[in-house]
Amino acid sequence: MQIAMIGAGYVGLTTATCFAEIGHEVACHDADSERIRQLETGELPIYEPRLEEAMRRVVASGKLRFSRSGADCVSGADVVFLAVGTPAMRDGGIDLSQVEAAARLVSRWLKPGAVVAIKSTVVAGTCRRVREIMAEERQSLDFSVAANPEFLREGSAIEDFLCPDRIVIGCDDRRSASLLSEVYRPLTERGAPKVLSSTPNAELIKYAANAFLALKIGFINEVADLCAQTGADVGPVAEGIGLDRRIGPSFLRPGPGYGGSCFPKDTCAFAATGRDRGARQFLIETLIERNEKRKAALAGRVIAQGGLRKGSVVAVLGLAFKANTDDVRESAALTIAPILQKAGLRVRAHDPKAMTNARQWLRDVEWADTAYEAAHGADAVVVLTEWEEYKNIDLGRLACTMSQRVVFDYRNLLDPRAVAAHGLIYFSLGRPPVSPAGKSTRGRVSALAGTRRRVAAPARD
Ligand code: UDX
Ligand code: UDX
């Protein structure tokens, strides 16, 4: 089939490449012509594992091409996907201006009988709105609008596309149901489950799924804090919870608070829709507040537990909102690093992929080429992203290069006993503390801190 993709961001680019991989002829357009120029020269504007090789392959085979012209991209397509941004507005509601602009562009060139499928995450009623906009723009045009939300996690987006838990197709007519089912036939034939429903149902499935996943993370984060206070270990607790098939094991890893381009904005939009429509989502409203407070509270713990003083150096390892991506949108580091700086600490930062993006957001940070360079002479190390390279860090080398030897592992990446065996003072999330001497770290760190003029930690929430 002939497919057009509007938007060459994380989702558009990965999806366009994967559609070409499963045999379709795909043309991809982006309003940012510089981005298209880059792509035409084979340069990727984002980092996503396996994407570069896959893209090269499908471009070489002629299945995927990039186009600066909307007309050229759209006019031959049977299905046009919209994968443009849907950012949050100040009040938490969703800004649909990019979707509306893309709908106007598409309506000019769409061939009769074609389907416009919205991939971007949009609130219930957006398909209807897009249909109205397009009908106003080109009154005689015969077309359909469908919702086809994406469920791609950055870092494993290709795998998520090719082996999805389900494909959600929201259609209000037979034509779009049939054309979209045809688009995904190579995957459904291999056993991918398909959920065929109405457009408002599909729109809501996406929001409710992301809100629920975010809720699981918020829940385990609070359970981790409870474990820390009760001598329990969140690892086995999460495992024990997750083995119940009604709960499931995924999204139960405690961390510094969820981030990224989706959960923060999708939970806000979900809550805003609830407020607008008189069906408040109280659980999600609380979750949003708790998630933000968590990032600040963890910064406070570094200050309070690390025995740090003004001018102390903190090495922040991990700036991306999760591993295997260069994306820093809403990442914990962007909140935590400035709080540490405000408390008078020096922040040195490292990330294997996300430093270029992070530089646009963080000021007065010392940038390090390696984790060891960041930790050199540092008083504390704070791990914020679960990169494999940090998991495999040489603890002996880390211990030798640091000054005060306190490690805050906010992804529970490291083995507490191995860390303690190297003489490091270790704090993780919801796991019993282990000191270098095998005793509780609490006394040890306050003793360490007692001789210094410590900086004040922000008030506990
Ligand atoms: C976006 C949405 O924000 C998200 O809600 C949805 O689920 C998937 O699509 P992402 O791919 O991460 O996510 O967005 P981004 O990386 O910002 O890419 C959007 C692209 O659309 C940009 O390259 C932008 O230039 C392009 N765009 C925007 C257009 O091509 N046309 C427009 O009119 C507006
Ligand atoms: C999310 C959705 O999972 C995906 O279906 C799509 O809708 C886009 O949005 P993404 O934001 O790329 O994907 O990453 P995801 O793996 O969902 O992680 C989101 C955030 O939650 C990250 O900050 C991550 O570190 C955090 N997280 C995730 C945890 O803290 N603990 C977990 O157990 C899982």
Side-chain angles (χ1 to χ4, degrees):
M1 281 180 93
Q2 301 287 331
I3 288 178
M5 180 66 64
I6 308 295
Y10 279 90
V11 171
L13 205 51
T14 313
T15 309
T17 302
C18 290
F19 277 146
E21 283 269 57
I22 61 172
H24 301 299
E25 308 277 331
V26 187
C28 183
H29 168 77
D30 196 291
D32 179 350
S33 52
E34 172 55 23
R35 181 164 280 227
I36 293 295
R37 189 203 59 74
Q38 241 185 316
L39 288 163
E40 280 170 341
T41 60
E43 213 183 304
L44 252 74
I46 54 163
Y47 170 74
E48 177 64 34
R50 294 172 56 196
L51 183 59
E52 193 166 357
E53 314 87 271
M55 205 182 90
R56 291 229 163 100
R57 202 164 43 238
V58 288
V59 167
S61 69
K63 290 280 184 195
L64 174 64
R65 67 189 177 86
F66 299 101
S67 177
R68 291 165 208 227
S69 146
D72 166 61
C73 175
V74 169
S75 55
D78 305 303
V79 183
V80 180
F81 287 90
L82 307 186
V84 295
T86 49
M89 294 190 298
R90 269 178 181 278
D91 66 356
I94 176 178
D95 174 0
L96 286 174
S97 58
Q98 294 186 36
V99 173
E100 294 178 359
R104 285 197 179 89
L105 172 100
V106 167
S107 64
R108 259 177 261 150
W109 315 110
L110 197 69
K111 75 176 183 191
V115 172
V116 175
I118 304 181
K119 268 250 161 263
S120 307
T121 305
V122 292
V123 283
T126 306
C127 283
R128 196 184 57 224
R129 172 87 191 111
V130 163
R131 213 174 279 135
E132 284 165 6
I133 289 175
M134 292 184 61
E136 271 166 33
E137 293 285 316
R138 222 170 123 196
Q139 286 164 6
S140 56
L141 183 66
D142 173 32
F143 66 98
S144 304
V145 177
N148 174 222
E150 52 85 18
F151 297 97
L152 309 179
R153 288 164 302 170
E154 288 179 27
S156 55
I158 294 201
E159 198 183 312
D160 288 347
F161 181 97
L162 296 173
C163 305
D165 285 348
R166 79 304 205 186
I167 294 158
V168 174
I169 299 176
C171 296
D172 298 326
D173 58 33
R174 281 177 188 219
R175 170 172 55 199
S176 47
S178 143
L179 274 174
L180 280 165
S181 296
E182 189 55 27
V183 168
Y184 285 103
R185 200 159 52 85
L187 300 181
T188 49
E189 271 179 356
R190 278 193 248 152
K194 180 172 76 179
V195 177
L196 201 54
S197 198
S198 67
T199 54
N201 285 353
E203 289 164 335
L204 212 58
I205 287 170
K206 171 62 193 271
Y207 270 117
N210 273 3
F212 187 75
L213 290 168
L215 208 48
K216 272 184 103 174
I217 298 167
F219 176 76
I220 203 65
N221 282 342
E222 296 205 343
V223 170
D225 289 347
L226 188 58
C227 289
Q229 297 306 320
T230 52
D233 183 332
V234 71
V237 170
E239 193 185 344
I241 300 170
L243 281 170
D244 185 325
R245 271 176 295 174
R246 294 169 300 175
I247 297 172
S250 56
F251 280 69
L252 288 178
R253 276 177 286 113
Y258 59 77
S261 66
C262 289
F263 284 1
K265 89 172 159 55
D266 292 353
T267 45
C268 286
F270 191 66
T273 308
R275 280 193 297 273
D276 282 358
R277 304 290 172 96
R280 292 237 344 234
Q281 299 298 305
F282 293 104
L283 290 178
I284 301 303
E285 287 183 20
T286 305
L287 171 72
I288 294 165
E289 191 195 330
R290 296 308 310 164
N291 193 61
E292 268 320 296
K293 288 207 164 137
R294 178 167 186 80
K295 296 175 189 174
L298 292 189
R301 281 188 211 172
V302 172
I303 297 165
Q305 297 176 322
L308 303 173
R309 59 193 163 89
K310 279 197 196 306
S312 289
V313 176
V314 179
V316 171
L317 302 188
L319 304 166
F321 78 95
K322 61 185 273 191
N324 301 319
T325 179
D326 63 350
D327 197 343
V328 298
R329 287 179 282 182
E330 306 286 336
S331 87
L334 299 193
T335 303
I336 290 175
I339 295 177
L340 299 179
Q341 288 175 317
K342 213 168 158 201
L345 306 175
R346 277 169 59 198
V347 171
R348 209 178 283 146
H350 172 262
D351 189 285
K353 295 284 178 197
M355 297 225 282
T356 308
N357 286 336
R359 273 176 213 266
Q360 295 170 28
W361 300 98
L362 295 174
R363 297 280 162 263
D364 303 319
V365 162
E366 298 160 43
W367 303 97
D369 288 337
T370 65
Y372 303 105
E373 189 185 314
H376 181 67
D379 298 284
V381 160
V382 185
V383 179
L384 291 179
T385 312
E386 71 282 23
W387 285 103
E388 200 62 19
E389 122 171 26
Y390 300 151
K391 191 173 181 180
N392 299 324
I393 202 157
D394 179 339
L395 292 168
R397 194 171 157 196
L398 188 73
C400 285
T401 203
M402 287 181 72
S403 163
Q404 199 190 292
R405 301 183 160 197
V406 188
V407 175
F408 294 89
D409 175 5
Y410 287 156
R411 291 287 184 172
N412 286 1
L413 269 191
L414 307 170
D415 172 2
R417 297 208 172 272
V419 182
H422 284 89
L424 291 155
I425 301 164
Y426 182 63
F427 295 93
S428 54
L429 298 173
R431 299 194 292 185
V434 184
S435 75
K439 294 181 195 145
S440 160
T441 48
R442 283 196 190 101
R444 161 103 193 186
V445 170
S446 35
L448 220 159
T451 55
R452 299 162 175 270
R453 193 167 66 84
R454 293 175 57 193
V455 291
R460 284 176 76 103
D461 58 331

PDB file of all heavy atoms in Angstrom, residues 211 215 222 258 267-291:
ATOM      1  N   ALA A 211      -2.044   6.502  31.361  1.00  0.00           N
ATOM      2  CA  ALA A 211      -2.336   6.952  32.731  1.00  0.00           C
ATOM      3  C   ALA A 211      -2.187   5.776  33.702  1.00  0.00           C
ATOM      4  O   ALA A 211      -1.623   5.918  34.792  1.00  0.00           O
ATOM      5  CB  ALA A 211      -3.750   7.534  32.803  1.00  0.00           C
ATOM      6  N   LEU A 215       0.490   5.295  36.676  1.00  0.00           N
ATOM      7  CA  LEU A 215      -0.015   5.028  38.030  1.00  0.00           C
ATOM      8  C   LEU A 215       0.752   3.867  38.673  1.00  0.00           C
ATOM      9  O   LEU A 215       1.076   3.899  39.861  1.00  0.00           O
ATOM     10  CB  LEU A 215      -1.497   4.673  37.914  1.00  0.00           C
ATOM     11  CG  LEU A 215      -2.451   4.957  39.061  1.00  0.00           C
ATOM     12  CD1 LEU A 215      -2.309   6.347  39.619  1.00  0.00           C
ATOM     13  CD2 LEU A 215      -3.893   4.737  38.577  1.00  0.00           C
ATOM     14  N   GLU A 222       6.025   4.839  45.703  1.00  0.00           N
ATOM     15  CA  GLU A 222       5.604   5.063  47.091  1.00  0.00           C
ATOM     16  C   GLU A 222       5.807   3.799  47.926  1.00  0.00           C
ATOM     17  O   GLU A 222       6.179   3.864  49.096  1.00  0.00           O
ATOM     18  CB  GLU A 222       4.160   5.560  47.136  1.00  0.00           C
ATOM     19  CG  GLU A 222       4.079   6.919  46.459  1.00  0.00           C
ATOM     20  CD  GLU A 222       2.931   7.805  46.891  1.00  0.00           C
ATOM     21  OE1 GLU A 222       1.963   7.293  47.491  1.00  0.00           O
ATOM     22  OE2 GLU A 222       3.017   9.011  46.611  1.00  0.00           O
ATOM     23  N   TYR A 258       8.524   9.286  36.795  1.00  0.00           N
ATOM     24  CA  TYR A 258       8.470   9.079  35.338  1.00  0.00           C
ATOM     25  C   TYR A 258       8.678  10.402  34.605  1.00  0.00           C
ATOM     26  O   TYR A 258       8.333  11.469  35.111  1.00  0.00           O
ATOM     27  CB  TYR A 258       7.145   8.417  34.920  1.00  0.00           C
ATOM     28  CG  TYR A 258       5.904   9.203  35.292  1.00  0.00           C
ATOM     29  CD1 TYR A 258       5.509  10.328  34.557  1.00  0.00           C
ATOM     30  CD2 TYR A 258       5.132   8.835  36.379  1.00  0.00           C
ATOM     31  CE1 TYR A 258       4.375  11.049  34.894  1.00  0.00           C
ATOM     32  CE2 TYR A 258       3.989   9.563  36.727  1.00  0.00           C
ATOM     33  CZ  TYR A 258       3.624  10.662  35.976  1.00  0.00           C
ATOM     34  OH  TYR A 258       2.521  11.384  36.320  1.00  0.00           O
ATOM     35  N   THR A 267      -0.758  12.279  31.129  1.00  0.00           N
ATOM     36  CA  THR A 267      -1.498  12.271  32.398  1.00  0.00           C
ATOM     37  C   THR A 267      -2.157  13.638  32.624  1.00  0.00           C
ATOM     38  O   THR A 267      -3.306  13.712  33.077  1.00  0.00           O
ATOM     39  CB  THR A 267      -0.581  11.925  33.595  1.00  0.00           C
ATOM     40  OG1 THR A 267       0.633  12.678  33.474  1.00  0.00           O
ATOM     41  CG2 THR A 267      -0.237  10.456  33.655  1.00  0.00           C
ATOM     42  N   CYS A 268      -1.429  14.713  32.266  1.00  0.00           N
ATOM     43  CA  CYS A 268      -2.007  16.062  32.439  1.00  0.00           C
ATOM     44  C   CYS A 268      -3.228  16.234  31.531  1.00  0.00           C
ATOM     45  O   CYS A 268      -4.250  16.777  31.958  1.00  0.00           O
ATOM     46  CB  CYS A 268      -0.973  17.144  32.115  1.00  0.00           C
ATOM     47  SG  CYS A 268       0.251  17.310  33.398  1.00  0.00           S
ATOM     48  N   ALA A 269      -3.111  15.771  30.283  1.00  0.00           N
ATOM     49  CA  ALA A 269      -4.236  15.926  29.345  1.00  0.00           C
ATOM     50  C   ALA A 269      -5.427  15.071  29.788  1.00  0.00           C
ATOM     51  O   ALA A 269      -6.584  15.490  29.672  1.00  0.00           O
ATOM     52  CB  ALA A 269      -3.796  15.535  27.937  1.00  0.00           C
ATOM     53  N   PHE A 270      -5.130  13.895  30.319  1.00  0.00           N
ATOM     54  CA  PHE A 270      -6.198  12.992  30.798  1.00  0.00           C
ATOM     55  C   PHE A 270      -6.954  13.674  31.947  1.00  0.00           C
ATOM     56  O   PHE A 270      -8.188  13.717  31.975  1.00  0.00           O
ATOM     57  CB  PHE A 270      -5.536  11.695  31.267  1.00  0.00           C
ATOM     58  CG  PHE A 270      -6.478  10.561  31.549  1.00  0.00           C
ATOM     59  CD1 PHE A 270      -7.216   9.975  30.535  1.00  0.00           C
ATOM     60  CD2 PHE A 270      -6.605  10.046  32.822  1.00  0.00           C
ATOM     61  CE1 PHE A 270      -8.070   8.898  30.791  1.00  0.00           C
ATOM     62  CE2 PHE A 270      -7.448   8.978  33.096  1.00  0.00           C
ATOM     63  CZ  PHE A 270      -8.180   8.409  32.071  1.00  0.00           C
ATOM     64  N   ALA A 271      -6.176  14.238  32.879  1.00  0.00           N
ATOM     65  CA  ALA A 271      -6.799  14.916  34.025  1.00  0.00           C
ATOM     66  C   ALA A 271      -7.570  16.153  33.563  1.00  0.00           C
ATOM     67  O   ALA A 271      -8.674  16.424  34.041  1.00  0.00           O
ATOM     68  CB  ALA A 271      -5.730  15.305  35.044  1.00  0.00           C
ATOM     69  N   ALA A 272      -6.991  16.893  32.592  1.00  0.00           N
ATOM     70  CA  ALA A 272      -7.669  18.110  32.109  1.00  0.00           C
ATOM     71  C   ALA A 272      -8.980  17.741  31.416  1.00  0.00           C
ATOM     72  O   ALA A 272      -9.993  18.417  31.596  1.00  0.00           O
ATOM     73  CB  ALA A 272      -6.753  18.871  31.151  1.00  0.00           C
ATOM     74  N   THR A 273      -8.978  16.643  30.649  1.00  0.00           N
ATOM     75  CA  THR A 273     -10.216  16.210  29.982  1.00  0.00           C
ATOM     76  C   THR A 273     -11.255  15.848  31.042  1.00  0.00           C
ATOM     77  O   THR A 273     -12.427  16.212  30.912  1.00  0.00           O
ATOM     78  CB  THR A 273      -9.958  14.968  29.087  1.00  0.00           C
ATOM     79  OG1 THR A 273      -8.860  15.264  28.239  1.00  0.00           O
ATOM     80  CG2 THR A 273     -11.158  14.624  28.229  1.00  0.00           C
ATOM     81  N   GLY A 274     -10.823  15.158  32.086  1.00  0.00           N
ATOM     82  CA  GLY A 274     -11.744  14.788  33.169  1.00  0.00           C
ATOM     83  C   GLY A 274     -12.375  16.018  33.807  1.00  0.00           C
ATOM     84  O   GLY A 274     -13.577  16.050  34.063  1.00  0.00           O
ATOM     85  N   ARG A 275     -11.533  17.046  34.031  1.00  0.00           N
ATOM     86  CA  ARG A 275     -12.068  18.282  34.632  1.00  0.00           C
ATOM     87  C   ARG A 275     -13.065  18.950  33.688  1.00  0.00           C
ATOM     88  O   ARG A 275     -14.158  19.342  34.086  1.00  0.00           O
ATOM     89  CB  ARG A 275     -10.923  19.258  34.952  1.00  0.00           C
ATOM     90  CG  ARG A 275     -10.186  18.933  36.239  1.00  0.00           C
ATOM     91  CD  ARG A 275      -9.289  20.094  36.664  1.00  0.00           C
ATOM     92  NE  ARG A 275      -8.242  20.373  35.688  1.00  0.00           N
ATOM     93  CZ  ARG A 275      -7.065  19.772  35.672  1.00  0.00           C
ATOM     94  NH1 ARG A 275      -6.764  18.873  36.578  1.00  0.00           N
ATOM     95  NH2 ARG A 275      -6.165  20.076  34.756  1.00  0.00           N
ATOM     96  N   ASP A 276     -12.686  19.012  32.393  1.00  0.00           N
ATOM     97  CA  ASP A 276     -13.571  19.655  31.393  1.00  0.00           C
ATOM     98  C   ASP A 276     -14.911  18.957  31.268  1.00  0.00           C
ATOM     99  O   ASP A 276     -15.934  19.591  31.073  1.00  0.00           O
ATOM    100  CB  ASP A 276     -12.933  19.573  29.992  1.00  0.00           C
ATOM    101  CG  ASP A 276     -11.860  20.582  29.809  1.00  0.00           C
ATOM    102  OD1 ASP A 276     -11.637  21.373  30.742  1.00  0.00           O
ATOM    103  OD2 ASP A 276     -11.235  20.572  28.720  1.00  0.00           O
ATOM    104  N   ARG A 277     -14.857  17.633  31.307  1.00  0.00           N
ATOM    105  CA  ARG A 277     -16.088  16.878  31.026  1.00  0.00           C
ATOM    106  C   ARG A 277     -16.853  16.489  32.291  1.00  0.00           C
ATOM    107  O   ARG A 277     -17.769  15.673  32.241  1.00  0.00           O
ATOM    108  CB  ARG A 277     -15.746  15.590  30.256  1.00  0.00           C
ATOM    109  CG  ARG A 277     -14.972  15.802  28.979  1.00  0.00           C
ATOM    110  CD  ARG A 277     -15.837  16.454  27.900  1.00  0.00           C
ATOM    111  NE  ARG A 277     -15.015  16.822  26.760  1.00  0.00           N
ATOM    112  CZ  ARG A 277     -14.851  16.090  25.684  1.00  0.00           C
ATOM    113  NH1 ARG A 277     -15.455  14.932  25.584  1.00  0.00           N
ATOM    114  NH2 ARG A 277     -14.084  16.507  24.703  1.00  0.00           N
ATOM    115  N   GLY A 278     -16.428  16.998  33.432  1.00  0.00           N
ATOM    116  CA  GLY A 278     -17.155  16.706  34.668  1.00  0.00           C
ATOM    117  C   GLY A 278     -16.973  15.277  35.146  1.00  0.00           C
ATOM    118  O   GLY A 278     -17.863  14.701  35.757  1.00  0.00           O
ATOM    119  N   ALA A 279     -15.805  14.678  34.848  1.00  0.00           N
ATOM    120  CA  ALA A 279     -15.510  13.328  35.363  1.00  0.00           C
ATOM    121  C   ALA A 279     -14.074  13.355  35.861  1.00  0.00           C
ATOM    122  O   ALA A 279     -13.168  12.801  35.235  1.00  0.00           O
ATOM    123  CB  ALA A 279     -15.682  12.286  34.261  1.00  0.00           C
ATOM    124  N   ARG A 280     -13.861  14.071  36.979  1.00  0.00           N
ATOM    125  CA  ARG A 280     -12.499  14.306  37.457  1.00  0.00           C
ATOM    126  C   ARG A 280     -11.756  13.006  37.674  1.00  0.00           C
ATOM    127  O   ARG A 280     -12.312  12.034  38.171  1.00  0.00           O
ATOM    128  CB  ARG A 280     -12.527  15.109  38.761  1.00  0.00           C
ATOM    129  CG  ARG A 280     -13.012  16.510  38.535  1.00  0.00           C
ATOM    130  CD  ARG A 280     -12.147  17.636  38.947  1.00  0.00           C
ATOM    131  NE  ARG A 280     -11.047  17.515  39.819  1.00  0.00           N
ATOM    132  CZ  ARG A 280     -10.909  18.254  40.926  1.00  0.00           C
ATOM    133  NH1 ARG A 280     -11.875  19.065  41.312  1.00  0.00           N
ATOM    134  NH2 ARG A 280      -9.807  18.178  41.631  1.00  0.00           N
ATOM    135  N   GLN A 281     -10.483  12.999  37.306  1.00  0.00           N
ATOM    136  CA  GLN A 281      -9.622  11.830  37.480  1.00  0.00           C
ATOM    137  C   GLN A 281      -8.738  12.107  38.691  1.00  0.00           C
ATOM    138  O   GLN A 281      -7.565  12.481  38.572  1.00  0.00           O
ATOM    139  CB  GLN A 281      -8.798  11.599  36.204  1.00  0.00           C
ATOM    140  CG  GLN A 281      -9.655  11.322  34.973  1.00  0.00           C
ATOM    141  CD  GLN A 281     -10.482  10.062  35.129  1.00  0.00           C
ATOM    142  OE1 GLN A 281      -9.943   8.998  35.401  1.00  0.00           O
ATOM    143  NE2 GLN A 281     -11.800  10.178  34.969  1.00  0.00           N
ATOM    144  N   PHE A 282      -9.313  11.895  39.876  1.00  0.00           N
ATOM    145  CA  PHE A 282      -8.613  12.286  41.101  1.00  0.00           C
ATOM    146  C   PHE A 282      -7.310  11.508  41.301  1.00  0.00           C
ATOM    147  O   PHE A 282      -6.322  12.046  41.762  1.00  0.00           O
ATOM    148  CB  PHE A 282      -9.535  12.099  42.315  1.00  0.00           C
ATOM    149  CG  PHE A 282     -10.707  13.046  42.315  1.00  0.00           C
ATOM    150  CD1 PHE A 282     -11.970  12.604  41.976  1.00  0.00           C
ATOM    151  CD2 PHE A 282     -10.530  14.386  42.633  1.00  0.00           C
ATOM    152  CE1 PHE A 282     -13.047  13.480  41.966  1.00  0.00           C
ATOM    153  CE2 PHE A 282     -11.603  15.279  42.618  1.00  0.00           C
ATOM    154  CZ  PHE A 282     -12.862  14.819  42.283  1.00  0.00           C
ATOM    155  N   LEU A 283      -7.337  10.220  40.968  1.00  0.00           N
ATOM    156  CA  LEU A 283      -6.117   9.418  41.147  1.00  0.00           C
ATOM    157  C   LEU A 283      -4.984   9.996  40.307  1.00  0.00           C
ATOM    158  O   LEU A 283      -3.845  10.111  40.755  1.00  0.00           O
ATOM    159  CB  LEU A 283      -6.362   7.972  40.702  1.00  0.00           C
ATOM    160  CG  LEU A 283      -7.276   7.110  41.561  1.00  0.00           C
ATOM    161  CD1 LEU A 283      -7.424   5.729  40.933  1.00  0.00           C
ATOM    162  CD2 LEU A 283      -6.690   6.982  42.959  1.00  0.00           C
ATOM    163  N   ILE A 284      -5.308  10.341  39.081  1.00  0.00           N
ATOM    164  CA  ILE A 284      -4.272  10.846  38.171  1.00  0.00           C
ATOM    165  C   ILE A 284      -3.836  12.253  38.581  1.00  0.00           C
ATOM    166  O   ILE A 284      -2.651  12.599  38.495  1.00  0.00           O
ATOM    167  CB  ILE A 284      -4.777  10.809  36.703  1.00  0.00           C
ATOM    168  CG1 ILE A 284      -5.155   9.364  36.311  1.00  0.00           C
ATOM    169  CG2 ILE A 284      -3.743  11.360  35.727  1.00  0.00           C
ATOM    170  CD1 ILE A 284      -4.039   8.338  36.476  1.00  0.00           C
ATOM    171  N   GLU A 285      -4.767  13.054  39.056  1.00  0.00           N
ATOM    172  CA  GLU A 285      -4.387  14.403  39.522  1.00  0.00           C
ATOM    173  C   GLU A 285      -3.377  14.297  40.664  1.00  0.00           C
ATOM    174  O   GLU A 285      -2.386  15.020  40.717  1.00  0.00           O
ATOM    175  CB  GLU A 285      -5.633  15.175  39.987  1.00  0.00           C
ATOM    176  CG  GLU A 285      -6.506  15.632  38.825  1.00  0.00           C
ATOM    177  CD  GLU A 285      -7.709  16.448  39.266  1.00  0.00           C
ATOM    178  OE1 GLU A 285      -7.708  16.996  40.386  1.00  0.00           O
ATOM    179  OE2 GLU A 285      -8.675  16.532  38.488  1.00  0.00           O
ATOM    180  N   THR A 286      -3.640  13.362  41.586  1.00  0.00           N
ATOM    181  CA  THR A 286      -2.716  13.172  42.710  1.00  0.00           C
ATOM    182  C   THR A 286      -1.379  12.638  42.214  1.00  0.00           C
ATOM    183  O   THR A 286      -0.308  13.070  42.648  1.00  0.00           O
ATOM    184  CB  THR A 286      -3.327  12.184  43.729  1.00  0.00           C
ATOM    185  OG1 THR A 286      -4.589  12.680  44.098  1.00  0.00           O
ATOM    186  CG2 THR A 286      -2.455  12.018  44.952  1.00  0.00           C
ATOM    187  N   LEU A 287      -1.452  11.696  41.266  1.00  0.00           N
ATOM    188  CA  LEU A 287      -0.224  11.110  40.717  1.00  0.00           C
ATOM    189  C   LEU A 287       0.682  12.184  40.112  1.00  0.00           C
ATOM    190  O   LEU A 287       1.898  12.187  40.346  1.00  0.00           O
ATOM    191  CB  LEU A 287      -0.609  10.078  39.633  1.00  0.00           C
ATOM    192  CG  LEU A 287       0.545   9.522  38.809  1.00  0.00           C
ATOM    193  CD1 LEU A 287       1.392   8.577  39.654  1.00  0.00           C
ATOM    194  CD2 LEU A 287       0.036   8.791  37.576  1.00  0.00           C
ATOM    195  N   ILE A 288       0.086  13.086  39.341  1.00  0.00           N
ATOM    196  CA  ILE A 288       0.872  14.145  38.676  1.00  0.00           C
ATOM    197  C   ILE A 288       1.626  14.965  39.732  1.00  0.00           C
ATOM    198  O   ILE A 288       2.822  15.224  39.615  1.00  0.00           O
ATOM    199  CB  ILE A 288      -0.068  15.056  37.843  1.00  0.00           C
ATOM    200  CG1 ILE A 288      -0.670  14.270  36.676  1.00  0.00           C
ATOM    201  CG2 ILE A 288       0.657  16.297  37.339  1.00  0.00           C
ATOM    202  CD1 ILE A 288      -1.873  14.944  36.020  1.00  0.00           C
ATOM    203  N   GLU A 289       0.909  15.321  40.788  1.00  0.00           N
ATOM    204  CA  GLU A 289       1.511  16.139  41.841  1.00  0.00           C
ATOM    205  C   GLU A 289       2.627  15.364  42.549  1.00  0.00           C
ATOM    206  O   GLU A 289       3.721  15.867  42.777  1.00  0.00           O
ATOM    207  CB  GLU A 289       0.403  16.510  42.828  1.00  0.00           C
ATOM    208  CG  GLU A 289       0.822  17.559  43.816  1.00  0.00           C
ATOM    209  CD  GLU A 289      -0.145  17.626  44.988  1.00  0.00           C
ATOM    210  OE1 GLU A 289      -1.348  17.339  44.799  1.00  0.00           O
ATOM    211  OE2 GLU A 289       0.332  17.931  46.095  1.00  0.00           O
ATOM    212  N   ARG A 290       2.348  14.089  42.867  1.00  0.00           N
ATOM    213  CA  ARG A 290       3.331  13.268  43.593  1.00  0.00           C
ATOM    214  C   ARG A 290       4.582  13.031  42.744  1.00  0.00           C
ATOM    215  O   ARG A 290       5.704  13.006  43.242  1.00  0.00           O
ATOM    216  CB  ARG A 290       2.746  11.906  44.001  1.00  0.00           C
ATOM    217  CG  ARG A 290       1.607  11.937  44.969  1.00  0.00           C
ATOM    218  CD  ARG A 290       1.881  12.745  46.201  1.00  0.00           C
ATOM    219  NE  ARG A 290       3.144  12.415  46.854  1.00  0.00           N
ATOM    220  CZ  ARG A 290       3.742  13.184  47.763  1.00  0.00           C
ATOM    221  NH1 ARG A 290       3.195  14.320  48.120  1.00  0.00           N
ATOM    222  NH2 ARG A 290       4.867  12.810  48.302  1.00  0.00           N
ATOM    223  N   ASN A 291       4.388  12.842  41.440  1.00  0.00           N
ATOM    224  CA  ASN A 291       5.535  12.563  40.565  1.00  0.00           C
ATOM    225  C   ASN A 291       6.481  13.757  40.522  1.00  0.00           C
ATOM    226  O   ASN A 291       7.703  13.594  40.571  1.00  0.00           O
ATOM    227  CB  ASN A 291       5.045  12.212  39.154  1.00  0.00           C
ATOM    228  CG  ASN A 291       6.146  11.603  38.304  1.00  0.00           C
ATOM    229  OD1 ASN A 291       6.687  10.557  38.648  1.00  0.00           O
ATOM    230  ND2 ASN A 291       6.495  12.260  37.218  1.00  0.00           N
TER     231      ASN A 291
END
